[in-house]
Amino acid sequence: MNKLFLLLFIPVVCFGQLDTNKQTIKVEFVGKAARMGPFLKKTPDSQTYFLSYKYFKIVNKETKKMEKRKHRVVFKSTEKKLEILYNKFYVACGSLETTFIKIGETLFEIKKAKYSASVKVTKNDISKGAFLMHQNQVDMLFGKRPFSPNFLFD
């Protein structure tokens, strides 16, 4: 009986130790555009940036139950390339035309909405949600101005 107990107990102990090797990455906050995101963060010692946002997805069409999800785009950039990316987002959010911005495997489709721009995100042709963004929010996202929930009136 003790041998059986040991045979069942050893795999549980071994699998429990697999998660202890996770590393936490310290990041600096660059900016945020709204309470739900998007957020832009970077690692302090390298040129790695994290563009993340939260979105809702319907998980059951019959009950219309929604689930909050998070998506993150990781990319490397210099300060000059980040400024170019800022300019692309700023111009696209104010434009009447549809604009596509690709970062790695992630594609941002920016269309003009009523008072802002609709940003749809896809990765490898799989939808990763969407969010609305105004030009003032682009400034807040890239750290050009401090975050304000009243972005339309600043």
Side-chain angles (χ1 to χ4, degrees), residues 45-110:
D45 57 344
S46 70
Q47 297 172 339
T48 304
Y49 288 85
F50 303 91
L51 178 65
S52 60
Y53 61 94
K54 297 173 186 166
Y55 66 97
F56 291 97
K57 183 169 184 166
I58 296 176
V59 291
N60 187 340
K61 291 184 180 179
E62 294 171 1
T63 62
K64 299 193 181 199
K65 183 178 179 185
M66 298 185 83
E67 181 180 272
K68 185 168 34 170
R69 296 190 175 181
K70 185 176 182 179
H71 181 64
R72 176 176 28 203
V73 180
V74 181
F75 62 97
K76 291 193 179 284
S77 177
T78 62
E79 290 293 324
K80 187 175 181 180
K81 288 182 181 178
L82 192 68
E83 189 67 27
I84 292 170
L85 185 63
Y86 159 75
N87 287 331
K88 284 183 179 182
F89 267 100
Y90 190 83
V91 169
C93 286
S95 174
L96 296 175
E97 300 173 4
T98 301
T99 306
F100 296 94
I101 299 173
K102 188 166 186 170
I103 302 174
E105 299 172 348
T106 305
L107 183 68
F108 295 88
E109 179 184 354
I110 304 171

Side-chain angles (χ1 to χ4, degrees), residues 9-22:
F9 184 69
I10 290 173
V12 171
V13 171
C14 292
F15 287 122
Q17 293 177 355
L18 290 177
D19 291 335
T20 59
N21 293 331
K22 288 186 179 180

